[in-house]
Amino acid sequence: MSAVPGRPLPSLRVVSGPAPDAALAVVTRAPEPGRVPLGHADEARVSVHDGQPVVEVELADSAPRPGWSGAVDHGLGHRRAGAALARHLRDSRAEGPVTVAVPGALPADRVGDLVIGYLLGARGQDVFAADPAPVVPDLVVEVAAGPGSGDDDEVIVARAVAAAEEEARATAMARDLAGAPSDLKTPEWLVSRMAEALGEAGMRTEVIEGEGLVSGGFGGVLAVGGGSAAGPRVLVARRPGPGPRVLLVGKGITFDTGGISVKPADGMHLMRTDMAGSAAVVAAAAAFCSDGSPGYADVDLTVVVPSAENMLSGSAYRPGDVVTHVGGTTSEVTNTDAEGRMVLADALAHGIAECDPEVVVDVATLTGAMKVALGMRTGAVMGNDDDLADRVAAAGAAAGERWWRLPLPDDLRPAVRSDIADRRQAPTGPGAITAALFLEGFVDGRPWAHLDIAGPARSSEEIDEVGPVATGFATRTLVALLRDLADRPRP
């Protein structure tokens, strides 16, 4: 079976003292008057300083701004500067390494942000093009010698660079999975690639299919996948440990026509990314389980990915159907394009029965309503536990991903009650919230956070460190959240 198509990342290295003679030095400068840098290629340019060629990049190092739970946008200016630098070098087809001095061009506590911007900013998804864009030059981080500097400086910078590279690789993996075309990315292909990645990271994996889905009661997965010639699958991966038990669930819809409640043709090609939630979950779990830091191996981590293709055919499920999920709860189908919550319901119930989690997080490109509410650059957090929601927001702020919490008000709970089944799948009302209220019925009262990434999982342009189409959003947040749960166990 074919590998995940993707482009390589640029190489990185940290040196002490002067960089290689052939390296082009990076210097920062204030933005052009009236312009807010956004990571575009024209925010960098080649110039001459002290008789030597350098590449100047605009840097607006603004202070973090308030969010709903602490400050956000930490390091945004440096991620944008790194992305602008990489895009300028890509477009100019520059060769040879570039070097950035620390301290000097930037402070040690922001080197990781610039590295993430550089590694991800110009890494396109043009893997099937005859003439793909070139990989940008190597980046050399120079720990400058001077008064007060020493071996500790190089160690600190090297750790920051290594952490940033790990986060960038995880994000790139999520982007590659989400960006793969659906003629290649069947449910079988997707869970096989994911199982390989998680197995290499030390997780035990199982793929449930066919009669296993029937006997396991996966009515939602079977209903959604019933219209496709490519049969559905459910991936379950676990790494046991003595510490906190965490369940991550990611929506794995490999293509979404909407089914009988068919989508408009405009934009449907982007539905190859409708499994971006599962890509973020798997990439984050693989990165976390590969990290040998003390205490991280104690986390008892389970990943569940329900994967199906939502197609329109004579065997597709219908509005008005009643579906029985894992555990016996029934759902009245009112819109076949609300398929994500159908498969997530099965996955949540199965995962909770399997691992008895203390923390549950699901991630999904779930609702267009979320995009209306929060736009294309901010993810929605909903849930039943304030501490967990706060941890998600803090993890995202540290990782450079914005989140905003939406409420789950009691007055909307009647909307998900059905007259003919236990729950109504897609009621009227505020769609992002009612979708979360539907899922709440499958988490058994466990501390739970639902992350709707329908907006920021995709981008139509190069901005900040993201680019078209799949962004890998939520990957770095989940890595930071898992680290936080290991470092600060919940009471």
Side-chain angles (χ1 to χ4, degrees):
M1 211 175 261
S2 58
V4 180
R7 302 294 311 282
L9 289 172
S11 296
L12 275 173
R13 64 183 188 272
V14 178
V15 300
S16 180
D21 291 339
L24 187 65
V26 176
V27 298
T28 60
R29 62 184 175 89
E32 296 289 344
R35 178 159 74 175
V36 176
L38 295 173
H40 296 160
D42 62 359
E43 294 160 19
R45 67 188 182 194
V46 174
S47 184
V48 176
H49 283 211
D50 299 326
Q52 298 295 321
V54 298
V55 57
E56 296 179 336
V57 61
E58 294 181 8
L59 172 63
D61 188 19
S62 57
R65 60 183 181 82
W68 67 269
S69 180
V72 297
D73 289 349
H74 297 273
L76 177 61
H78 287 86
R79 288 193 303 279
R80 286 173 167 170
L85 173 63
R87 289 163 182 158
H88 169 80
L89 296 171
R90 174 200 63 196
D91 293 354
S92 62
R93 296 190 174 261
E95 298 180 359
V98 293
T99 180
V100 58
V102 181
L106 70 159
D109 62 348
R110 294 272 74 99
V111 63
D113 294 297
L114 184 134
V115 166
I116 285 175
Y118 188 84
L119 293 180
L120 295 175
R123 184 182 182 273
Q125 296 173 34
D126 53 348
V127 292
F128 299 100
D131 184 24
V135 179
V136 298
D138 296 355
L139 177 64
V140 179
V141 179
E142 172 194 346
V143 184
S149 64
D151 294 341
D152 287 347
D153 295 333
E154 185 173 357
V155 171
I156 292 170
V157 170
R159 286 175 179 167
V161 169
E165 184 175 17
E166 176 188 346
E167 293 172 15
R169 290 192 181 282
T171 304
M173 176 185 173
R175 290 183 181 182
D176 290 344
L177 286 166
S182 295
D183 57 339
L184 170 68
K185 186 172 55 187
T186 63
E188 178 187 11
W189 182 93
L190 179 66
V191 300
S192 295
R193 302 289 75 74
M194 289 178 165
E196 289 172 359
L198 294 174
E200 291 172 1
M203 301 189 78
R204 301 195 305 250
T205 64
E206 174 193 11
V207 175
I208 306 172
E209 59 182 293
E211 286 303 316
L213 294 173
V214 176
S215 62
F218 290 86
V221 173
L222 289 166
V224 173
S228 173
R233 303 286 194 277
V234 173
L235 170 64
V236 182
R238 187 172 187 184
R239 187 194 65 178
R245 298 183 302 279
V246 180
L247 170 63
L248 299 181
V249 175
K251 173 185 168 184
I253 300 298
T254 57
F255 193 77
D256 181 19
T257 66
I260 288 176
S261 308
V262 66
K263 293 178 179 293
D266 185 30
M268 193 190 289
H269 64 289
L270 296 176
M271 289 300 100
R272 71 180 187 272
T273 66
D274 207 22
M275 38 58 64
S278 64
V281 162
V282 168
F288 179 76
C289 290
S290 299
D291 190 332
S293 300
Y296 289 0
D298 290 345
V299 175
D300 188 329
L301 180 60
T302 299
V303 168
V304 182
V305 173
S307 184
E309 189 176 49
N310 189 23
M311 298 294 282
L312 179 62
S313 76
S315 58
Y317 79 131
R318 299 159 290 263
D321 286 358
V322 174
V323 171
T324 303
H325 296 279
V326 173
T329 298
T330 55
S331 292
E332 175 193 2
V333 178
T334 53
N335 185 337
T336 63
D337 193 24
E339 83 298 329
R341 69 200 71 180
M342 298 293 289
V343 300
L344 287 174
D346 281 346
L348 287 164
H350 180 78
I352 288 169
E354 285 286 302
C355 70
D356 187 27
E358 299 165 283
V359 170
V360 179
V361 179
D362 76 78
V363 189
T365 51
L366 204 62
T367 65
M370 177 266 148
K371 294 190 287 186
V372 175
L374 297 179
M376 301 297 289
R377 302 288 290 131
T378 302
V381 184
M382 288 159 274
N384 60 8
D385 187 276
D386 292 341
D387 173 71
L388 181 56
D390 288 344
R391 286 175 185 254
V392 170
E401 296 178 331
R402 301 176 194 146
W403 298 93
W404 194 264
R405 190 173 183 183
L406 298 179
L408 297 180
D410 288 339
D411 61 290
L412 290 177
R413 294 184 192 281
V416 296
R417 297 174 189 157
S418 168
D419 294 331
I420 63 171
D422 295 319
R423 304 187 77 72
R424 180 181 290 119
Q425 167 226 30
T428 57
I433 291 173
T434 55
L437 287 170
F438 174 84
L439 293 176
E440 187 182 36
F442 297 89
V443 301
D444 191 37
R446 310 299 174 104
W448 160 70
H450 164 61
L451 311 185
D452 191 339
I453 60 171
R458 309 175 183 102
S459 178
S460 61
E461 60 179 333
E462 288 189 334
I463 184 171
D464 303 346
E465 75 276 13
V466 306
V469 169
T471 67
F473 187 87
T475 304
R476 302 199 303 271
T477 294
L478 291 174
V479 172
L481 175 65
L482 290 169
R483 290 171 177 166
D484 180 53
L485 290 169
D487 294 337
R488 296 189 306 122
R490 287 165 51 90

